Amino acid sequence: MPVGGLVPQVTDDAAELVVRNAKIHTGDPVRPHAQALAVRNGVITVVGDDKDVAPHVGPATKVVDALGRRMIPGLNDAHLHVIRGGLNYVLELRWDGVRTLRQGLEMLREQVARTPKGQWVRVVGGWSAEQFAERRLPTVAELNAAAPDTPVFVLHLYQSAVLNRAALRAAGFDRDTPDPRGGLIVRGRDGEPTGMLLAAPSALILYSTLAKAPVLEGEDKKTSTRHFLRELNRFGLTSAIDAAGGFQNFPENYSTVIELAKAGQLSLRIAYHLFPQTAGQEIADLTRWIEMARPEDGDAWLRLNGAGENLTWAAADFENFAQPRPELGDYEGEFEKAVRLLMEHGWGFRLHATYDETIRRDLAVFEKLAAEGLFPAGNRWLFDHAETVSEESLDRVAALGGAMSVQNRLSFQGEAFLRRYGPGRAADAPPIRAMLDRGLTVAAGTDATRVSTYNPWVALHWLVSGRGVGDVVLRSRRNRVDRQTALRMFTVAGAELTGEEDVKGVLRPGCYADLAVLSEDYFSVPEPDIAHIESLLTVTGGRIVYAAGEYEGLDEELPPVSPVWSPVAHFGGYQASGTAGARQAESLGEVVAESERHRAWRVGRGLASDAVESPFDPCFVL
């Protein structure tokens, strides 16, 4: 837009993009605040005031007025299943941000009506019963009523899944289907599956059932991934570390992001990990990958970061807080072989570890290898999750040169954790302050998409407030962090996990031009509203990859969502609840709806008259 005082000049070093009139939090302690910046060749060239960027405005420079809004470095989710999420995004009905089960079921019924024969309706992650006004899951009867013939699969955290009759048939479940190891098929009096699947405690039964649903093919996988990345850009994300995961095979499931990277069509920088998929074959897989590639292969948009988040299946604990902590068998032998192999060949790794009992056993293996000089040896390694890690274990992590990555899984599972372990344990789950006090790198992420939502502002709200999506206070005040620290965990710390802290996570000359102009000022908005912030303008590598509000239309065009019946084509992704005033009105509407539902229930049981009652209190009738 033309701006008074910024006159285009013919210059050899003209910027491609200038953003001015902003409240910039640079993240750079040398210059923490600024009003404008200039970008050339995807890199920041100037950070300062309008007068500092004015000489760099040429005839072709795109000048964007931030209108006094807050600008921050682009967010970096340090633990996101972005590759797997992208391959499935357009097939999934998202309940992220939905405030009532009633609304969720209405969305589901509407989607069933447009879903063609042979396809499933699937609700996979990003929500919890804790967020609903009704505080419960959908019932099998409700799914059967909504979809008598279309398979419906609803995943709830790492705990359970609800299937309708059609989904049970499509998945091949009947009275003779045996319970898989670590899972339970709930059965009725007649021995037939009811439609409830329980992780007991392994979530494999949930994910293996989901894997039976139809998948995307060909160009639809690229389109789905590009729309998912755009959805992440909507919240100011410009980078993510992909933590791999079950049913994500290398190289076949990575081919889509590789092709998009070659075509210059990624809008999010991805550092990815490799996760052995077959129990008993882990060492062979790791050996093969070490011969094929090494960490940091790739470029600024797509690069290998190491192995994990599992190295061997036997060493993985399960994070279902509705169940007791799993007792793992002997796993140290193969686990030591995997860690030794990686460290000897210069590969870093990340480890899924929920409980301190597991972390202590892993550390004992690392300390054994440290005696041979393999720890610390310059290879980046870290523990993920660590909800119950002890201070003693953190001291050992620090001594071995490790780092930590925490996720807001307890935003969605916090009340289950509270019921099982009590308020004392919940107050320090995970012990973020103890991690920071030891000088450890502590990065933050979401662990989306199959449990937590991919919206990073929900995680930032959890870091600052200690509250879950049900608004229950979980973490103690001493174990919360201030807003600047939380933001650093979502920017600089993530860059440290990939060795990119010199070029990513701060806004200063020479760094990647990755930034977000926010809908609300993160540093001054009321604490409950942190979770409702979005980006109005997201820039990755100098490219405007997301634009809304006054900037709508400045971003890159995407192909239409395909297939046309996709839930994303009709509902989008995260269901935003808007400003505080809008949320208040929404809450009032929910109360009214629930009141009417309760009245109908009473009428149906003969406990109240069906007559429409007067809205006036007789005490006030003249």
Side-chain angles (χ1 to χ4, degrees):
M1 59 182 69
V3 179
L6 294 183
V7 180
Q9 304 176 36
V10 178
T11 173
D12 291 337
D13 63 346
E16 290 142 10
L17 174 68
V18 163
V19 184
R20 64 170 296 274
N21 190 21
K23 290 189 293 186
I24 304 178
H25 173 82
T26 66
D28 181 3
V30 176
R31 181 165 191 168
H33 307 290
Q35 290 76 47
L37 57 75
V39 177
R40 181 176 172 82
N41 296 327
V43 174
I44 297 169
T45 55
V46 179
V47 176
D49 302 325
D50 280 1
K51 61 181 173 51
D52 298 315
V53 300
H56 300 272
V57 176
T61 301
K62 183 176 292 185
V63 180
V64 176
D65 190 332
L67 302 173
R69 290 194 169 96
R70 175 65 67 186
M71 180 197 297
I72 62 170
L75 299 180
N76 184 348
D77 190 322
H79 187 119
L80 177 65
H81 298 278
V82 60
I83 293 174
R84 185 177 66 194
L87 294 175
N88 296 284
Y89 177 61
V90 301
L91 293 176
E92 295 173 353
L93 176 65
R94 304 301 305 183
W95 281 355
D96 307 47
V98 174
R99 303 307 302 171
T100 69
L101 177 59
R102 181 177 182 177
Q103 179 188 347
L105 288 172
E106 287 173 356
M107 293 169 67
L108 191 147
R109 282 190 289 269
E110 185 179 334
Q111 183 57 38
V112 165
R114 69 169 63 93
T115 300
K117 186 175 181 179
Q119 292 290 339
W120 293 27
V121 175
R122 57 199 96 177
V123 180
V124 185
W127 67 281
S128 167
E130 296 174 12
Q131 79 193 42
F132 290 149
E134 300 91 336
R135 311 286 290 181
R136 67 174 180 86
L137 304 181
T139 65
V140 173
E142 286 170 325
L143 298 191
N144 285 332
D149 302 309
T150 302
V152 173
F153 177 98
V154 178
L155 176 69
H156 185 238
L157 308 174
Y158 300 103
Q159 299 174 10
S160 60
V162 191
L163 285 68
N164 68 347
R165 280 188 295 266
L168 288 172
R169 290 194 297 270
F173 287 121
D174 59 29
R175 65 187 305 122
D176 298 320
T177 305
D179 291 334
R181 182 178 179 182
L184 178 65
I185 302 169
V186 179
R187 304 171 194 274
R189 290 185 295 271
D190 58 0
E192 294 289 345
T194 64
M196 287 293 300
L197 306 180
L198 300 180
S202 170
L204 184 61
I205 184 176
L206 312 179
Y207 296 156
S208 61
T209 303
L210 179 60
K212 297 177 182 181
V215 298
L216 294 170
E217 301 291 345
E219 288 297 310
D220 281 347
K221 291 190 291 187
K222 292 183 184 178
T223 300
S224 178
T225 297
R226 292 185 69 187
H227 278 275
F228 183 49
L229 300 187
R230 174 66 59 86
E231 175 75 353
L232 298 176
N233 299 147
R234 167 188 167 191
F235 297 102
L237 279 164
T238 57
S239 291
I241 308 178
D242 186 90
F247 300 93
Q248 183 171 312
N249 291 290
F250 180 81
E252 52 266 39
N253 293 132
Y254 292 70
S255 61
T256 297
V257 291
I258 291 172
E259 291 174 19
L260 290 175
K262 289 178 179 178
Q265 293 178 331
L266 291 180
S267 62
L268 186 88
R269 304 182 193 275
I270 301 173
Y272 61 89
H273 286 254
L274 302 183
F275 181 130
Q277 295 295 304
T278 306
Q281 189 181 305
E282 298 97 331
I283 304 301
D285 284 343
L286 293 172
T287 301
R288 177 165 49 88
W289 295 337
I290 285 170
E291 294 170 353
M292 294 170 59
R294 56 181 294 112
E296 299 186 9
D297 280 358
D299 58 22
W301 289 93
L302 184 65
R303 54 194 273 144
L304 173 62
N305 199 51
E309 63 182 293
N310 271 5
L311 302 184
T312 61
W313 279 96
D317 55 15
F318 302 108
E319 58 279 34
N320 179 3
F321 299 122
Q323 295 283 336
R325 178 182 61 84
E327 296 292 339
L328 303 183
D330 293 336
Y331 65 78
E332 281 82 354
E334 286 298 296
F335 181 71
E336 180 183 331
K337 290 179 184 178
V339 176
R340 180 186 297 277
L341 179 67
L342 293 169
M343 298 302 276
E344 287 179 342
H345 289 84
W347 273 59
F349 60 86
R350 67 191 310 158
L351 278 176
H352 167 108
T354 301
Y355 303 99
D356 189 54
E357 289 80 358
T358 307
I359 291 170
R360 290 201 307 267
R361 292 176 65 176
D362 293 350
L363 287 170
V365 172
F366 301 164
E367 287 162 346
K368 178 181 177 182
L369 296 177
E372 303 176 28
L374 293 178
F375 283 85
N379 301 324
R380 292 184 299 272
W381 71 273
L382 64 130
F383 280 116
D384 278 303
H385 315 311
E387 278 86 358
T388 71
V389 65
S390 66
E391 295 198 10
E392 178 191 1
S393 292
L394 292 176
D395 289 335
R396 296 166 70 187
V397 171
L400 292 167
M404 306 298 297
S405 176
V406 298
Q407 297 76 42
N408 65 314
R409 304 193 304 183
L410 293 192
S411 284
F412 296 84
Q413 302 184 90
E415 293 179 41
F417 187 97
L418 187 67
R419 286 190 295 270
R420 180 163 295 280
Y421 297 108
R425 298 290 298 276
D428 290 319
I432 296 170
R433 177 52 56 193
M435 297 174 186
L436 293 169
D437 287 347
R438 283 159 175 76
L440 292 166
T441 292
V442 185
T446 62
D447 200 12
T449 59
R450 289 187 172 176
V451 177
S452 305
T453 180
Y454 49 74
N455 181 348
W457 296 101
V458 175
L460 281 155
H461 174 258
W462 170 78
L463 287 168
V464 171
S465 72
R467 294 177 181 270
V469 294
D471 204 36
V472 172
V473 176
L474 300 165
R475 288 184 298 110
S476 64
R477 187 171 299 279
R478 63 182 167 80
N479 195 34
R480 302 173 207 166
V481 297
D482 61 79
R483 299 188 193 202
Q484 187 163 325
T485 300
L487 184 60
R488 191 182 188 282
M489 293 169 68
F490 255 103
T491 52
V492 176
E496 291 174 351
L497 295 188
T498 58
E500 298 174 284
E501 61 270 28
D502 291 339
V503 292
K504 188 191 287 188
V506 297
L507 300 176
R508 65 171 174 240
C511 288
Y512 297 150
D514 299 352
L515 58 93
V517 177
L518 304 180
S519 59
E520 304 287 344
D521 188 342
Y522 166 65
F523 291 104
S524 61
V525 72
E527 190 176 89
D529 288 337
I530 292 174
H532 303 283
I533 293 174
E534 296 189 17
S535 177
L536 294 178
L537 186 85
T538 304
V539 175
T540 311
R543 294 161 42 203
I544 298 176
V545 295
Y546 179 80
E550 295 90 344
Y551 312 111
E552 187 173 353
L554 293 181
D555 49 3
E556 302 164 346
E557 186 175 6
L558 292 184
V561 173
S562 177
V564 294
W565 54 266
S566 161
V568 172
H570 298 272
F571 297 111
Y574 189 91
Q575 301 295 302
S577 54
T579 64
R583 288 196 305 279
Q584 185 180 37
E586 178 186 60
S587 297
L588 182 61
E590 292 169 3
V591 171
V592 171
E594 290 307 306
S595 177
E596 172 56 27
R597 196 172 183 179
H598 182 64
R599 190 192 71 82
W601 181 88
R602 288 175 59 80
V603 168
R605 286 156 179 76
L607 300 175
S609 170
D610 195 22
V612 178
E613 299 177 0
S614 169
F616 298 107
D617 189 321
C619 291
F620 294 94
V621 176
L622 298 178

